[in-house]
Amino acid sequence: MHAEGVAVSALADAVGTPFYCYSTETLTRHARVMREALAGLDSPMIVFAVKANPNVAVLRVLARAGLGADVVSVGEMRRALAAGIPPGLIVFSGVGKTDAELRAALEAGIFQINVEGEEELRRLSHSAQALGLVADIALRVNPDVDAGTLAKISTGKAENKFGIGLDRVMDLYAEAARLPGINPVGIAAHIGSQLFDLAPLETAYGKLGALVAALRAAGLSVSRVDLGGGLGIPYDPKLPLPPSPAEYGAMVQRATAGWGVQLMFEPGRLIAGNAGILVSRVVTMKRGATRTFVVLDAAMNDLIRPTLYGVYHDIRAVEPTGGRMVATVVGPVCETGDMFAEDRDMDAVETGDLVALMTAGAYGATMAGTYNSRPLLPEVLVDGDRFAVVRDRQTLEDLIGLDRVPDWLQGEL
Ligand SMILES: *Cc1c(COP(=O)(O)O)cnc(C)c1O
């Protein structure tokens, strides 16, 4: 198995396992495919959802490919700026922005803040006034559609915490237009992630279109609509493919015809997911009473998606022998839920072999933690036949060194 021109086994020799590996060429191609899919629209703006993969080197690759950044915290904003993404290409989303975060966004002069509620709108107005600045904002609408994806990653139903109910948007937009320090420029929506059906998106966009017309009829100006992210990607090679970016683009063109706005898009998974793998080594094989376990040196703390959502990641031998086996692939963490695959028909592997967990470039390293005192793992970026460690492996000194023993516990035991 190679990442571009570099053997994955050579990377493992150089950096040790486990580690994440990203491909510059795939990231760049995904950005290009998305841009081409939207080429029929009038100056679309594509902002990468940084939460999918916030590594600064990855963001820098995407910045070079012309993408902006959709951020959900001041930390992500700082990463986008550190990657050289201009403030004019940064959008701030998120359901719980603190005053400090709103001020930081105002001071950085970012393109747009997507406001999630009326209290946030008023807090932003206060902060903007205090700083003598004006914030371009979109109101995030909750279009109340079922995205047909996993419950934990559905965001556009009325009972979800995200966005402003359709019935309240008109009044709030009018209030925004009157508030000092606030310039409402449009509306935004994001109904969920890993969508395999365009119909709920088209329904949501239809509701946004009706809202744009209603706002304009009320004398309010609307110049941008942010259509969010959410397009699904293939994880399981046995399943049918999700809609292509081109099919999505054609649907958008149909659904938004005549709106007369700048459209914005916030893809995350689509750009980064299949540009990354998690490489791990088999620590030991264990024949249980009813099944064979492959115990990896990666665990749920490194890639939590299977544990958190019960979802599928393809697992392949880095140096396949052609043999197959049925096994349950687990990590060493002390949780039964620390399982990557259950009774999986997969490449035969043995102790010491390398495996790759595929489609790990989005919501992988960024969701990692240190449970069981396992250091955060390194990230490697490949570009042709060269590679670089773009995030160091956390050392045990770094991991433990943040703990403090108070005075009264020091001295003799
Ligand atoms: C998570 C998120 C995205 C990206 O979703 P993907 O499914 O990764 O494309 C876009 N916009 C907002 C507001 C988000 O929270």
Side-chain angles (χ1 to χ4, degrees), residues 335-403:
E335 298 272 347
T336 299
D338 180 23
M339 186 188 289
F340 292 120
E342 194 168 5
D343 299 326
R344 175 78 59 87
D345 177 1
M346 59 182 281
D347 290 339
V349 292
E350 297 170 14
T351 299
D353 286 355
L354 293 168
V355 299
L357 288 100
M358 311 302 289
T359 320
Y363 308 107
T366 182
M367 292 177 100
T370 61
Y371 186 41
N372 281 207
S373 290
R374 295 167 46 83
L376 293 174
L377 64 187
E379 297 171 88
V380 174
L381 181 69
V382 174
D383 180 26
D385 51 17
R386 60 186 170 176
F387 72 90
V389 175
V390 293
R391 184 183 174 89
D392 291 338
R393 188 184 303 281
Q394 190 177 34
T395 64
L396 285 174
E397 289 67 34
D398 285 345
L399 178 70
I400 301 163
L402 291 172
D403 290 7

Side-chain angles (χ1 to χ4, degrees), residues 50-202:
V50 171
K51 76 175 192 280
N53 189 325
N55 184 283
V56 173
V58 167
L59 297 181
R60 182 120 190 115
V61 169
L62 297 177
R64 288 206 168 161
L67 302 200
D70 173 44
V71 303
V72 296
S73 70
V74 72
E76 286 189 355
M77 187 181 81
R78 290 276 289 275
R79 283 175 174 274
L81 293 169
I85 296 177
L89 290 178
I90 298 179
V91 176
F92 202 142
S93 302
V95 77
K97 305 177 200 78
T98 65
D99 285 337
E101 287 181 314
L102 292 172
R103 277 197 302 274
L106 285 161
E107 281 168 343
I110 65 169
F111 186 68
Q112 175 173 304
I113 299 176
N114 290 352
V115 171
E116 292 252 1
E118 58 188 274
E119 195 199 293
E120 182 187 325
L121 182 66
R122 292 182 194 132
R123 286 194 291 116
L124 180 60
S125 171
H126 279 128
S127 293
Q129 270 181 285
L131 294 168
L133 297 169
V134 175
D136 285 347
I137 66 122
L139 291 185
R140 173 153 176 196
V141 179
N142 183 322
D144 193 18
V145 295
D146 185 346
T149 185
L150 298 169
K152 280 182 185 155
I153 50 175
S154 290
T155 55
K157 289 205 277 181
E159 66 264 32
N160 296 141
K161 70 180 173 182
F162 299 98
I164 299 157
L166 274 175
D167 54 334
R168 291 171 46 232
V169 178
M170 292 281 296
D171 284 350
L172 203 57
Y173 203 99
E175 179 179 341
R178 288 190 301 269
L179 277 176
I182 300 286
N183 176 34
V185 294
I187 54 177
H190 171 74
I191 63 169
S193 198
Q194 187 57 6
L195 308 192
F196 257 59
D197 184 2
L198 293 179
L201 282 169
E202 190 159 4

